[in-house]
Amino acid sequence: MSQDCIILLTRPPVCITTDAAYRTEHQNKKMIHSLFLINCSGDIFLEKHWKSVVSQSVCDYFFEAQEKAVDVENVPPVISTPHHYLISIYRDKIFFVSVIQTEVPPLFVIEFLHRVADTFQDYFGECSETAIKDNVVIVYELLEEMLDNGFPLATESNILKELIKPPTILRSVVNSITGSSNVGDTLPTGQLSNIPWRRAGVKYTNNEAYFDVIEEIDAIIDKSGSTVFAEIQGVIDSCIKLSGMPDLSLSFMNPRLLDDVSFHPCIRFKRWESERVLSFIPPDGNFRLISYRVSSQNLVAIPVYVKHMISFKENSSSGRFDVTIGPKQNMGKTVEGVVMTVHMPKAVLNMNLTASQGSYTFDPVTKVLTWDVGKITPQKLPNLKGIVNLQSGAPKPEENPSLNIQFKIQQLAISGLKVNRLDMYGEKYKPFKGVKYITKAGKFQSLGSRIVLG
Amino acid sequence: MSTSQAYNEEKGGSSSLGEPEYGHDPASGGIFSSDYKRHDDLKEMLDSNKDSLKLEAMKRIVAMIARGKNASDLFPAVVKNVACKNIEVKKLVYVYLVRYAEEQQDLALLSISTFQRGLKDPNQLIRASALRVLSSIRVPIIVPIMMLAIKEAASDMSPYVRKTAAHAIPKLYSLDSDQKDQLIEVIEKLLADKTTLVAGSVVMAFEEVCPERIDLIHKNYRKLCNLLIDVEEWGQVVIINMLTRYARTQFLSPNQNESLLEENAEKAFYGSDEEDAKDDKTEAASLVKRKPYVMDPDHRLLLRNTKPLLQSRNAAVVMAVAQLYFHLAPKAEVGVIAKALVRLLRSHSEVQYVVLQNVATMSIKRRGMFEPYLKSFYIRSTDPTQIKILKLEVLTNLANETNISTILREFQTYIRSMDKDFVAATIQAIGRCATNIGKVRDTCLNGLVQLLSNRDELVVAESVVVIKKLLQMQPSQHSEIIKHMAKLTDNIQVPMARASILWLIGEYCEHVPKIAPDVLRKMAKSFTNEEDIVKLQVINLAAKLYLTNSKQSKLLTQYVLNLAKYDQNYDIRDRARFIRQLIVPTEKSGALNKYAKKLFLAQKPAPILESSFKDRDHFQLGSLSHLLNAKAVGYQELPDWPDEAPDPSVRNVEVPEWTKCTSREKRKEKVEKPFYSDSEGESGPTESADSGEGSICHDVRAWASVAVGTDSLTPSLPGQHLTLGSPSEEEEEEGKKAKKKKPQRDREGGSESSSEEGSVSESSSSESDSGSDAEESQSETETKRRKTVKSSDPNRDQRHGDFCFICPGILPLPSLYPHLISSVPQVISPVFSSVKTYELLHRMTGEGLSVEYYFSRQPFAPDPHMVAVQIQFSNNTDSEVKNVRISEPKLLSGMRVQEFKEIESLAPGETTSVVMGIDFCDSTQAANFQLCTHTRQFYGAIQPPVGELMAPVFMSENEFKKEQGKLTGMSEITEKLTLPETCQSDHTIVQRVTSAANVSRVPCGADNEYRFAAKTVTSGSLVLITLEKKEGALAQLTVNSEKMVIGTMLVKDIIQALTQ
């Protein structure tokens, strides 16, 4: 007892490790030592150790950094402490803080932590504190399978789902009555199969394969309306519910568009290199097949334009605000779900605006103006204008608020990418196939106009 | 035991101490007593017979552990359930056990037997999970049990269990580092494993236990390169990082020529004439020695096989490849990684953070690489500040004369950002651009001066600091700016900025003679309210003014110095005292007084604005150490390139001899080997394990990927593309065939060949080892597929057998590659039949080493006058046999021996074969020699049957008759014989003759006549054989040859072969 107290007092707060751990610390080389989940108010609500226990107090260094960073986004992902390194990610209002003791590629850990968050999302529908707390046993079982001694073991969703069944309302009711469990009673063979990403013995009555081609436009438009930077980030997300061991090949009308692609491991790289065909045995369920980037400037069509004018009068505490959004190069499709957000300068007190369409809100605390426009009809262009009130006595703002715009265009891949056909081999049945195209705004930003002084 | 007891006590203490710490958790907010009570009911539940109750209890316990609560007092109750039938209870018990076993060592031992039983389970998954939990229990007492279990699992049939064994190695090592040597043995064994499942895990174990044992990698290097694409993502990262280090020790720098040229140019420029003459020689010599840099094919293999991984979805893999290219690739090729890295910038902000740090380092060294992607580093207002600042860093690094105007325009928009830290960083970035690119210095300076009238004080302050640095470079032209800044002292409050202005005025007081004293006056007034750093600069200013303009500033200076004398800060007091002594002349003041002006107004070098990422690339990119810019614990230094490449042959997996031959010959060698070795040798445990349910398909994919690599070499390889019919089925089949074939192949040192192999003959010998395997497996299966009846259900295991019997080996089709023969015009590939193996050393006399040889009937490449002898060594002892070689050949005059390269070591149970060439001078005298090992010498002799002294030749019937006509009389030997019943058919006759002698058949018009032709190996004399069948079983054999002795002996041998 007394001995212990001494240890607590004399050692720096970080290493209140057990004696056994201390003894072997110098050789304790491994990837991820421990994981702490911390919510925004700084509570550690879950901890998992893959080897000797590391005290929660190690997180104090993290809290310190968090305080210094002010903004959650600015917490450095890698923090060095006297005895450990903390590598963290921030996802869905949760910090995943991992404790590392030795050299390891930081991206290795970061990528893994994101994989953990993805798995939670996949299992519980959301990756939130409540979901994790409600399913703490499953979470623990998952973490146990995903890492062995700090090194990733099974991270494929298909394998995990064979090992540990995801919770459903029905199953939890049944389980509580029958006392059966959510752990797979048959041992998974997925890990052993020659295609580790697909679980064995898949059976569906309706065999379906859906592909969503989703493209996001990242663009910076300067005040004159010309494009400073634009690129398209595309993904093909698939939802495949096919029985047995289907072997699919997906071909495009214009595969040349895809010059920078990253693949799901199931894709046969060789086929792509030689024939520009995506050939793969898919995982079961939802997964991201490829993601790609189309960056050539002239290929990127900008589907909307924004005309905006913000002006403040000299020696007056008010100004004018006028924004119009219109369609441009939208290939005859409707631009919908348009939302504009503007971070107004700090001096703005409130705004009295009228929207020709949709509704707007202005948050006087965060100074964020949000205008939910909805659909753009070319006949009547949406417009938002009115008066900006400044704090009295405050100097005229000189910062340029930039406008962030979100929109959606259904049934269009803005890059022009088109799926040609999907063929299935290896199984006899006729699957139902579907392809959907969506274009969205990614990081779409219109640089603020120079504020006109009048 | 005493330690563990003390330890337990301690733990008890800490747990009760630790308890209140968790009190903030509302769920555990109970009082101690109630806690214990609750634990009591958990114990009850655990003791019950119902699985559902047990499960409930375990779930609650795991929830406690997850919240960081102590549940160690439940250990006895929990550990009893370790053998529970319910799988979920069992799993949760494992979770508990792994967490608390270390604290309750004695009790944990109770569970060990359960796991030991599990290790023997017929189900591979149960074996694996038993090993996993057993190795996770950190109880030193079970180290021997763990060691045993790991060793056993390392030779398990199932690759999954072997993978688990690899995972267990670092666990055991961290528990007891004394086991290192034994563990290294296991690692060595697992490194030789050929399944992708194991590769990543074992390399991870290697990195943790013995990263310094680079020699273990040699033999596995090519295999790892080839498997890489099919290893799971996490394993890929570990392997790539390890291979980067490996390559740095084994290959030469691909950029050495370039650096040498630069060096040279410099020398020539500066070198004086007299020296030149001598220098030139040495230079030239070194140039000659080093100039012809040819990349090691293995180096190329690594670069080629990692490149596709740039398209991985896993950022860590992409980064790993990027760093590999950065550290290993020739400058011209590094560019390929830029695109992939830029793609990662779309990922999560943490990923961006790490990637940008690395890009920042790379962009200093290789600016051109990222220039095309300049716009991808443009900053968005929504980026987090830390990302913005990193992007700014990259943009600054990328700035050059051509793009600076675009970058500056971009910077201008950033300055208006609301994020002040970012604005400050932007101003500094502008400063850096200005110092680095002289062209825009004035523009930048003007821009910064404009910022001085910015309303935001922070912006102004930062600008002042940057302007100060810039002005130092050319102060004389900018007195206007200094004046402008002097005026700012009235308004600006940021201490650093005030200090900077004061320093500037002091330093360049000659340029602003009127303003300077006035500024000092104002500062003297406010001196007491200033920050320390400002005060120090006020003193400096005063001193400098005193020295240059003492008339106006004498009193002010003294006033300031007096104020400083009583300042609270001792630095300021010290400075004041020091300066007073230095500048104010008194009778006591020493010699320094005279030099005061020189001291204060010396020319000061302008500061160099450098990137903080400069020289960070001495850390391996992508590493934690690089990110922190400090050596992290356990960081492995990236070694420098060696000056001389170490012996590349260490990576040869096959018999070293073969590398000497051209690849053509080697391939031919391979062709026939299966025939001899089919029945020999037992496959090692790992090999046989390959036929388990392992990731066979992976392997096929791996080979396929290699085939992609060698695409350019094999434009017409028919087997290369999978037919589009039904890929999955094919792949399955391929998998199975490959599976069947594999053990066989392993025995022969991983070498075979196929009918199509000739088309790759251009590839260099060392890389073709791996390449040919791949192609061959593909094309071969392709051929097989044609023969095999396709089954609609490829999943049946029984079918393995079928494949096996249909294709017992690879049928060589010599006629398919006539171009192989072209180098040795008339000699054609041998005709095969059963071949005799001769014993060179019996295992009894050889004390466990047995040596056999046979005549492979291949042309011996290094010397066409030699007969190739294939020698096969098998080590039947328990220990390694080292340095097997030939010494002191005792030969008759004229005979020559081409020895095989020394076999460095032969592991127990291993078999290896080598080729040696002997020129027998067309005689059947034995070649005698000593066969040496590291301990013993054995006498050996190789005596060729006469039939092996020749090589087959192709000729037409007419030629044959013509030649025969020349060889009559003394040169013709005729013998009569009776053919036995068993030897009447054409086939048997031909077969028996060709087995007795290395001859080829000559077409013949008559059906009762057989003709064969050959040439002796040494002298090239023709040997013509004619066999005429007469009525009944009678026959007549005629041999025509100049070499009468040979002819006579040959007749004897052939008759014996036919009449047997």
Side-chain angles (χ1 to χ4, degrees), chain B residues 124 157-159 162 686-696 739 797 800:
Chain B
Q124 48 178 338
M157 292 280 284
S158 150
R162 297 202 299 277
T686 15
E687 286 147 14
S688 63
D690 280 342
S691 51
E693 266 300 299
S695 57
I696 297 306
K739 198 191 291 183
D797 270 15
H800 295 233

Side-chain angles (χ1 to χ4, degrees), chain B residues 264-279:
Chain B
N264 226 30
E266 224 163 86
K267 273 263 171 64
F269 194 77
Y270 294 114
S272 64
D273 285 355
E274 306 97 282
E275 278 172 19
D276 266 4
K278 215 164 65 186
D279 259 15

